[in-house]
Amino acid sequence: MSSELKWNSTEMMTIAASRILQNEMICFVGIGIPSTAAILAKSMHAPELFLVYESGTVNTNPQKLPLSIGDGELANRALSVVGMPEIFNYWLQPGRIDMGFLGAAQIDKFANINTTIIGSDYKNPKVRLPGAGGAPEISGACKEVVVILKHSPRAFVEKIDFITSLGFGSGPGSRKAAGLIGGGPSAVITDLGVLKPDPESCELTLVQIHPGVTVEEVKENTSWDLKVASSVTVTGEPTQVELEKVRLLVASSRN
Amino acid sequence: MSLAEAISLHVQDGDTVALEGFTHLIPFAAGQEIIRQKKKDLTAIRLTPDLIYDQMIGAGCIAKLIFSWGGNPGVGSLHRLRDALSNSWPRALEIEEHTHAGMTNRYVAGASGLPFSVLRGYDGTDLLSNTENIAQIKSPFGDEVLLAVAALNPDVTIIHAQQADRKNNVMSWGILGSSKEAVFAAKKVIITVEEIVDEFKPHHNSVIFPEKLITALAVSPRGAWPSYASGYYERDNEQYIAWDEVSKERESFNQWLEAEVFSKGEK
């Protein structure tokens, strides 16, 4: 990547994610980059974005970036704070959430994601990851899901070691067969570009690259033979305002 | 009752315990008292093991962990949990892992006096073939396949709250996670509070735990630190960040344990 860019790749990924969020959506947010993107979107083009966190904060409007999913900042600035049965059973399960944001340690070409283990033996893994949290049901029930993770051959793999959350399974029809009501992943946003599932095959396809990134670079960082759209667009450069706001938010998480 | 008495009387070796509180109101003082009293062979339930169970695992109190997300939020891994799983240090640790929705509904079943709850969950995941206490069932009212999750009924649930009144009723507010369900699901309930007040003043989203639900009540100021208690103190994020270094090696963890738990009495 060119060293002349005025932003780093994490900032680009965060800003690209924030632009996907639309005003008045109900969005289920996790901690880290999804939170930064959501708070940024609320301060820019989507002031009415309705944020729900699994800790029970409903329509919250944080001004600084929470370090954890249940920070006081989220509770104090929420319309209401409810118990977890209400979040998972009444908000998420019936399909009230428009968009869920998820991270992943590994992802495959059908956007199935793994956050549980690295290694082939569940009982004796090479690396133990945190596990499922809210992700399987978020992936299952939201109208659409956006996955955010950095591009690398170790993360974008032919076969993930454990299906923690189902994307499109083994292709068209898998979600329905598994009993999932939500639409599944609509985009995967990385530090290099944006992948979207092919409408026919459900296979992730490169549709957009960030400024300064080449298609080859994305393919090199993907372990499977990545499909590329016939016309790949380039993400609009981050504006000065977006960059300033992202940097302030990241700095605020440890205050 | 003092916290030491409450733990001594009501937590027995081999018990199934749930120390609940989601990010907020995590009962650290009670967990560290369990360590100090060297309770062992516990089955420990929490959605997010967090630092408190990392400490109890490293101290050798826990034989089995039932959970749904085992990390240090916003920081990284729980090193004591990983060391126990990979190297059985200081003892072997069995795990049973679920999702937040699954764990929450397991408490709901326990609180409701039912053998299981039903949800739409775990669908298409490898948890279905690796996790105990879940089963796919067909809806009796249609063709839909749903997930049954077995009830959780801890021997003891321990939570921290803001206030008790003179009649031992407890009031809590802010993020409660699955605490209310864990309290109703338990055979015994220990609650630590920041302080005792003459009269409760209504708070945004406050919840009352009537004294009839509570087995033992102890005053434990800052009993949730380095987690937080809304209205009293904020989350000490620096401690969560520092834990990554403290817990990384057995030696530094043992030094911490000696200095911060065994050398100190109940806070």
Side-chain angles (χ1 to χ4, degrees), chain A residues 54-55 67-72 81 84-85 89 93 116 122 127-128 130 132-134 136-137 162-164 166 178 180, chain B residues 22-23 47 68-70 74 82 97 99-100 104-105 119-126 130 175 177 181 205 228 235 237:
Chain A
E54 66 191 15
S55 55
L67 181 67
S68 85
I69 200 87
D71 275 20
V81 182
M84 289 178 89
N89 292 353
Q93 186 164 261
T116 303
Y122 174 70
V127 182
R128 175 69 228 186
E137 287 80 17
F162 191 97
I163 300 176
T164 311
L166 196 71
L180 300 175
Chain B
F22 198 80
T23 308
L47 274 69
S68 42
W69 192 85
R82 274 188 171 188
E97 69 176 313
T99 72
H100 284 347
T104 295
N105 280 292
L119 69 151
R120 207 180 280 123
Y122 301 52
D123 296 312
T125 76
D126 286 336
N130 285 291
I175 290 169
E181 292 69 33
N205 300 303
Y228 71 107
R235 190 172 189 267
N237 286 341

Side-chain angles (χ1 to χ4, degrees), chain B residues 110-184:
Chain B
S112 311
L114 292 172
F116 61 88
S117 282
V118 174
L119 69 151
R120 207 180 280 123
Y122 301 52
D123 296 312
T125 76
D126 286 336
L127 290 170
L128 285 175
S129 54
N130 285 291
T131 291
E132 299 159 54
N133 289 308
I134 60 174
Q136 289 186 302
I137 55 166
K138 189 175 159 293
S139 165
F141 305 107
D143 294 330
E144 204 176 354
V145 174
L146 299 164
L147 192 79
V149 291
L152 284 169
N153 289 105
D155 292 312
V156 193
T157 286
I158 305 175
I159 63 165
H160 186 75
Q162 283 96 336
Q163 296 175 344
D165 67 10
R166 304 280 172 200
K167 292 177 176 166
N168 291 351
N169 302 299
V170 166
M171 183 163 82
S172 191
W173 63 87
I175 290 169
L176 294 184
S178 297
S179 298
K180 189 158 68 164
E181 292 69 33
V183 162
F184 275 97

Side-chain angles (χ1 to χ4, degrees), chain A residues 13 21 31 33 54 65-66 83 105 135 154 156 193 247:
Chain A
M13 174 164 71
L21 293 163
I31 219 66
I33 288 169
E54 66 191 15
L65 191 64
R154 278 172 35 181
F156 284 71
R247 288 168 189 165

